[in-house]
Amino acid sequence: MSQLATIALRFMILSLVAVGGVTSVLPEVHRVAVDVHHWVTDEEFTQMFVIARAAPGPNMLVVTLIGWHVAGLPGALVATAALCAPSCTLSYFVARAWQRFRGARWQRAVEAGLAPITVGLVLATGWLVARGAHSGWAPYGVTAVVAAVATFTRLNPIWLFAVAGLLGVLGLV
């Protein structure tokens, strides 16, 4: 199978289970890109994630960067389309059906069940990104502090990025 077909197949499947966006499936994106296909290293993946989060636009840009790294512009386009098209199409049809059952007991149960799953997947992403950063306790500490501050305060995340960047510049992280 060609690299473009592999990229398309892998990201199309992930697209359909990306509850809450690509951040919720980032550990699996990492496993596919780093461990299974060896498209990027652990450190490159973390760098791509950071670039994608810092850039304006959707957080799924990390997949575009992986596609670019693997197969240039065609890879970037295929990865982006593969991650967006299936989930957008499914969301459209599910949203239409979902409205018909508004307030149903089973619907509330599904919503209540998806929330902790999504939170757990996002926390796994934080762990994964910290692991891909430089070794030592500092990345884990910064990740834990940022997660706690973001969870329990209304502080704008840009300030958290600024402090983490300053720590990096000072060589503390």
Side-chain angles (χ1 to χ4, degrees):
M1 187 182 303
S2 76
Q3 280 190 324
L4 290 177
T6 303
I7 290 169
L9 181 63
R10 290 296 190 158
F11 291 142
M12 285 174 73
I13 291 168
L14 288 176
S15 171
L16 295 173
V17 296
V19 177
V22 75
T23 304
S24 63
V25 293
L26 207 60
E28 184 61 14
V29 171
H30 177 273
R31 189 186 75 76
V32 167
V34 176
D35 300 332
V36 175
H37 293 289
H38 308 287
W39 289 331
V40 295
T41 66
D42 203 29
E43 188 173 323
E44 288 171 330
F45 184 87
T46 299
Q47 291 169 354
M48 288 178 186
F49 176 77
V50 170
I51 291 168
R53 294 299 295 195
N59 63 3
M60 55 74 57
L61 291 175
V62 66
V63 172
T64 305
L65 293 172
I66 291 169
W68 180 275
H69 185 78
V70 174
L73 182 59
L77 294 173
V78 166
T80 303
L83 192 73
C84 292
S87 61
C88 288
T89 304
L90 180 64
S91 294
Y92 173 77
F93 289 110
V94 167
R96 291 190 67 186
W98 200 252
Q99 290 302 319
R100 285 191 288 167
F101 298 104
R102 187 54 102 205
R105 200 166 127 182
W106 66 268
Q107 189 182 48
R108 288 190 305 270
V110 168
E111 289 172 349
L114 286 176
I117 290 170
T118 301
V119 169
L121 290 171
V122 170
L123 288 173
T125 297
W127 175 260
L128 178 79
V129 171
R131 193 184 75 200
H134 300 316
S135 61
W137 64 270
Y140 298 111
V142 169
T143 301
V145 168
V146 167
V149 170
T151 300
F152 298 112
T153 71
R154 293 184 164 269
L155 185 64
N156 189 323
I158 196 73
W159 294 112
L160 301 174
F161 287 131
V163 170
L166 179 63
L167 292 174
V169 168
L170 295 174
L172 301 173
V173 179

Coordinates of all heavy atoms in Angstrom, one line a residue, residues 30-78:
H30 N 0.0 9.4 17.8 CA 1.4 9.2 18.2 C 1.8 7.8 17.9 O 2.9 7.5 17.3 CB 1.6 9.6 19.6 CG 3.0 9.4 20.1 ND1 3.4 8.2 20.6 CD2 4.0 10.2 20.2 CE1 4.6 8.3 21.0 NE2 5.1 9.5 20.7
R31 N 1.0 6.9 18.4 CA 1.4 5.4 18.2 C 1.5 5.1 16.8 O 2.5 4.4 16.4 CB 0.3 4.6 18.9 CG 0.7 3.1 19.0 CD -0.5 2.2 19.5 NE -1.5 2.1 18.5 CZ -1.4 1.2 17.4 NH1 -0.3 0.5 17.3 NH2 -2.4 1.1 16.6
V32 N 0.6 5.5 15.9 CA 0.6 5.3 14.5 C 1.8 5.9 13.9 O 2.6 5.3 13.1 CB -0.7 5.7 13.8 CG1 -0.5 5.7 12.3 CG2 -1.8 4.8 14.2
A33 N 2.1 7.2 14.1 CA 3.1 7.9 13.5 C 4.5 7.6 14.0 O 5.5 7.6 13.2 CB 2.9 9.4 13.6
V34 N 4.7 7.3 15.3 CA 6.0 7.1 15.8 C 6.3 5.6 16.0 O 7.3 5.1 15.5 CB 6.1 7.8 17.2 CG1 7.4 7.5 17.9 CG2 5.9 9.3 17.1
D35 N 5.4 4.9 16.6 CA 5.7 3.5 16.9 C 5.4 2.5 15.8 O 6.2 1.6 15.6 CB 4.9 3.0 18.2 CG 5.2 3.9 19.4 OD1 6.4 4.4 19.5 OD2 4.4 4.0 20.2
V36 N 4.3 2.7 15.1 CA 4.0 1.7 14.0 C 4.7 2.0 12.7 O 5.3 1.1 12.2 CB 2.4 1.7 13.8 CG1 2.0 0.8 12.7 CG2 1.7 1.2 15.1
H37 N 4.5 3.2 12.2 CA 5.1 3.5 10.9 C 6.4 4.2 10.9 O 7.0 4.3 9.8 CB 4.1 4.3 10.1 CG 2.8 3.6 9.7 ND1 2.8 2.6 8.8 CD2 1.6 3.7 10.2 CE1 1.6 2.1 8.7 NE2 0.8 2.7 9.6
H38 N 6.9 4.7 12.0 CA 8.1 5.4 12.2 C 8.2 6.5 11.2 O 9.3 6.8 10.7 CB 9.3 4.4 12.0 CG 9.2 3.2 12.8 ND1 9.4 3.2 14.2 CD2 8.9 1.9 12.5 CE1 9.3 2.0 14.7 NE2 8.9 1.2 13.7
W39 N 7.1 7.3 11.0 CA 7.1 8.4 10.2 C 7.9 9.6 10.8 O 8.5 10.4 10.1 CB 5.7 8.9 9.9 CG 4.9 8.0 9.0 CD1 5.4 7.2 8.0 CD2 3.5 7.8 8.9 NE1 4.4 6.5 7.4 CE2 3.2 6.8 7.9 CE3 2.5 8.3 9.7 CZ2 1.9 6.4 7.6 CZ3 1.2 7.9 9.4 CH2 0.9 7.0 8.4
V40 N 7.8 9.7 12.1 CA 8.5 10.7 12.9 C 9.0 10.2 14.2 O 8.6 9.1 14.6 CB 7.5 11.9 13.2 CG1 7.1 12.7 11.9 CG2 6.4 11.5 14.0
T41 N 10.0 10.9 14.8 CA 10.5 10.4 16.1 C 9.6 11.0 17.2 O 8.7 11.9 16.9 CB 11.9 10.9 16.3 OG1 11.9 12.4 16.4 CG2 12.8 10.5 15.2
D42 N 9.8 10.6 18.4 CA 9.0 11.1 19.5 C 9.2 12.6 19.7 O 8.2 13.3 19.9 CB 9.5 10.3 20.8 CG 8.4 10.3 21.9 OD1 7.2 10.4 21.6 OD2 8.8 10.2 23.1
E43 N 10.4 13.0 19.6 CA 10.7 14.4 19.7 C 10.1 15.3 18.6 O 9.6 16.3 18.8 CB 12.2 14.7 19.8 CG 12.6 16.1 20.1 CD 14.1 16.3 20.3 OE1 14.7 15.4 20.9 OE2 14.6 17.4 19.9
E44 N 10.2 14.7 17.3 CA 9.6 15.4 16.2 C 8.1 15.6 16.4 O 7.5 16.6 16.1 CB 9.9 14.7 14.9 CG 11.3 14.8 14.4 CD 11.6 13.9 13.2 OE1 11.0 12.8 13.1 OE2 12.5 14.3 12.5
F45 N 7.5 14.5 16.9 CA 6.0 14.5 17.1 C 5.6 15.6 18.1 O 4.7 16.4 17.9 CB 5.5 13.2 17.6 CG 4.0 13.1 17.8 CD1 3.2 12.7 16.7 CD2 3.4 13.4 19.0 CE1 1.9 12.7 16.9 CE2 2.1 13.4 19.2 CZ 1.3 13.0 18.1
T46 N 6.4 15.7 19.2 CA 6.2 16.7 20.2 C 6.3 18.1 19.6 O 5.5 19.0 19.8 CB 7.1 16.5 21.4 OG1 6.8 15.2 22.0 CG2 6.9 17.6 22.5
Q47 N 7.4 18.3 18.8 CA 7.6 19.6 18.1 C 6.4 19.9 17.2 O 6.0 21.1 17.2 CB 8.9 19.6 17.4 CG 10.1 19.6 18.3 CD 11.4 19.3 17.6 OE1 11.4 19.0 16.4 NE2 12.5 19.4 18.3
M48 N 6.0 19.0 16.4 CA 4.8 19.2 15.5 C 3.6 19.6 16.3 O 2.8 20.4 15.9 CB 4.6 18.0 14.7 CG 5.6 17.7 13.6 SD 5.2 16.2 12.7 CE 6.7 16.1 11.7
F49 N 3.4 18.9 17.5 CA 2.2 19.2 18.3 C 2.3 20.6 18.8 O 1.3 21.4 18.8 CB 2.1 18.2 19.5 CG 1.0 18.5 20.4 CD1 -0.3 18.2 20.1 CD2 1.3 19.1 21.6 CE1 -1.3 18.5 21.0 CE2 0.3 19.4 22.5 CZ -1.0 19.1 22.2
V50 N 3.4 21.0 19.3 CA 3.6 22.4 19.8 C 3.4 23.4 18.7 O 2.7 24.4 18.9 CB 5.0 22.5 20.5 CG1 5.3 24.0 20.8 CG2 5.1 21.7 21.7
I51 N 3.9 23.2 17.5 CA 3.7 24.1 16.4 C 2.3 24.2 16.0 O 1.7 25.3 15.8 CB 4.6 23.7 15.2 CG1 6.1 23.9 15.4 CG2 4.1 24.4 13.9 CD1 7.0 23.2 14.4
A52 N 1.6 23.0 16.0 CA 0.2 23.0 15.6 C -0.7 23.8 16.7 O -1.6 24.5 16.3 CB -0.3 21.6 15.5
R53 N -0.3 23.6 17.9 CA -1.1 24.3 19.0 C -0.8 25.8 19.0 O -1.6 26.6 19.3 CB -0.7 23.8 20.4 CG -1.2 22.3 20.6 CD -2.6 22.2 20.5 NE -3.3 22.9 21.5 CZ -4.5 22.7 21.9 NH1 -5.3 21.9 21.2 NH2 -5.1 23.4 22.8
A54 N 0.4 26.2 18.6 CA 0.8 27.6 18.6 C 0.3 28.4 17.4 O 0.0 29.6 17.4 CB 2.3 27.8 18.7
A55 N 0.0 27.6 16.3 CA -0.4 28.3 15.1 C -1.9 28.6 15.2 O -2.7 27.8 15.9 CB -0.2 27.3 13.9
P56 N -2.4 29.6 14.5 CA -3.8 29.9 14.5 C -4.5 28.8 13.7 O -4.0 28.3 12.8 CB -3.9 31.3 13.9 CG -2.6 31.5 13.2 CD -1.6 30.6 13.8
G57 N -5.7 28.5 14.1 CA -6.5 27.6 13.4 C -6.8 26.3 14.2 O -6.5 26.3 15.4
P58 N -7.3 25.3 13.6 CA -7.7 24.1 14.4 C -6.5 23.3 14.9 O -5.4 23.4 14.4 CB -8.5 23.3 13.3 CG -7.9 23.7 12.0 CD -7.5 25.2 12.2
N59 N -6.8 22.6 16.0 CA -5.7 21.9 16.7 C -5.3 20.6 15.9 O -4.4 19.9 16.3 CB -6.0 21.6 18.1 CG -7.2 20.7 18.3 OD1 -7.8 20.2 17.3 ND2 -7.6 20.4 19.5
M60 N -6.1 20.3 14.8 CA -5.8 19.1 14.0 C -4.6 19.3 13.1 O -4.2 18.4 12.4 CB -7.0 18.6 13.3 CG -7.7 19.7 12.4 SD -6.9 20.1 10.8 CE -6.7 18.5 10.0
L61 N -4.0 20.5 13.1 CA -2.9 20.8 12.2 C -1.7 19.8 12.4 O -0.9 19.7 11.5 CB -2.4 22.2 12.4 CG -3.4 23.3 11.8 CD1 -2.9 24.7 12.2 CD2 -3.6 23.1 10.4
V62 N -1.6 19.2 13.6 CA -0.5 18.3 13.8 C -0.6 17.1 12.8 O 0.5 16.7 12.3 CB -0.6 17.7 15.3 CG1 -1.8 16.9 15.5 CG2 0.7 16.9 15.6
V63 N -1.8 16.7 12.4 CA -1.9 15.7 11.4 C -1.4 16.2 10.0 O -0.8 15.4 9.3 CB -3.4 15.2 11.4 CG1 -3.6 14.2 10.2 CG2 -3.7 14.5 12.7
T64 N -1.7 17.4 9.7 CA -1.3 18.0 8.5 C 0.3 18.0 8.5 O 0.9 17.7 7.4 CB -1.8 19.4 8.3 OG1 -3.3 19.4 8.4 CG2 -1.4 20.1 7.0
L65 N 0.9 18.4 9.6 CA 2.3 18.4 9.6 C 2.9 17.0 9.5 O 4.0 16.9 8.8 CB 2.8 19.0 11.0 CG 2.5 20.5 11.1 CD1 2.8 21.0 12.5 CD2 3.2 21.4 10.1
I66 N 2.3 16.0 10.1 CA 2.8 14.6 9.9 C 2.7 14.3 8.4 O 3.6 13.7 7.9 CB 2.0 13.7 10.8 CG1 2.3 13.9 12.3 CG2 2.3 12.2 10.4 CD1 1.4 13.2 13.2
G67 N 1.6 14.5 7.8 CA 1.4 14.2 6.4 C 2.4 14.9 5.5 O 3.0 14.4 4.6
W68 N 2.7 16.2 5.9 CA 3.7 17.0 5.1 C 5.1 16.3 5.3 O 5.9 16.2 4.3 CB 3.8 18.4 5.7 CG 4.8 19.3 5.0 CD1 6.1 19.4 5.3 CD2 4.6 20.1 3.8 NE1 6.7 20.3 4.4 CE2 5.8 20.7 3.5 CE3 3.5 20.4 3.1 CZ2 6.0 21.6 2.5 CZ3 3.6 21.3 2.0 CH2 4.9 21.9 1.8
H69 N 5.4 15.9 6.5 CA 6.7 15.3 6.8 C 6.9 14.0 6.0 O 8.0 13.7 5.5 CB 6.8 15.0 8.3 CG 8.2 14.5 8.7 ND1 9.3 15.3 8.9 CD2 8.6 13.3 9.0 CE1 10.3 14.6 9.3 NE2 9.9 13.3 9.4
V70 N 5.8 13.2 5.9 CA 5.9 11.9 5.2 C 5.9 12.0 3.7 O 6.7 11.4 3.0 CB 4.7 11.0 5.7 CG1 4.7 9.7 4.9 CG2 4.8 10.8 7.2
A71 N 5.0 12.9 3.2 CA 4.9 12.9 1.7 C 4.7 14.3 1.1 O 4.1 14.4 0.0 CB 3.7 12.0 1.3
G72 N 5.2 15.3 1.8 CA 5.1 16.6 1.2 C 3.7 17.2 1.1 O 2.8 16.8 1.9
L73 N 3.5 18.0 0.2 CA 2.1 18.6 0.0 C 1.0 17.6 -0.2 O 0.0 17.7 0.5 CB 2.2 19.7 -1.1 CG 0.8 20.4 -1.3 CD1 0.4 21.2 -0.1 CD2 1.0 21.4 -2.5
P74 N 1.2 16.6 -1.0 CA 0.1 15.6 -1.2 C -0.2 14.9 0.2 O -1.3 14.6 0.5 CB 0.7 14.6 -2.2 CG 1.7 15.4 -3.0 CD 2.3 16.4 -2.0
G75 N 0.9 14.6 0.9 CA 0.7 14.0 2.2 C -0.1 14.9 3.2 O -1.0 14.4 3.9
A76 N 0.2 16.2 3.2 CA -0.5 17.1 4.0 C -2.0 17.2 3.6 O -2.8 17.2 4.5 CB 0.2 18.5 3.9
L77 N -2.2 17.3 2.4 CA -3.6 17.4 1.9 C -4.4 16.1 2.2 O -5.6 16.2 2.6 CB -3.6 17.7 0.4 CG -3.1 19.0 0.0 CD1 -3.0 19.2 -1.5 CD2 -3.9 20.2 0.6
V78 N -3.8 14.9 2.0 CA -4.5 13.7 2.2 C -4.7 13.5 3.7 O -5.8 13.1 4.1 CB -3.6 12.5 1.6 CG1 -4.1 11.2 2.2 CG2 -3.7 12.5 0.1

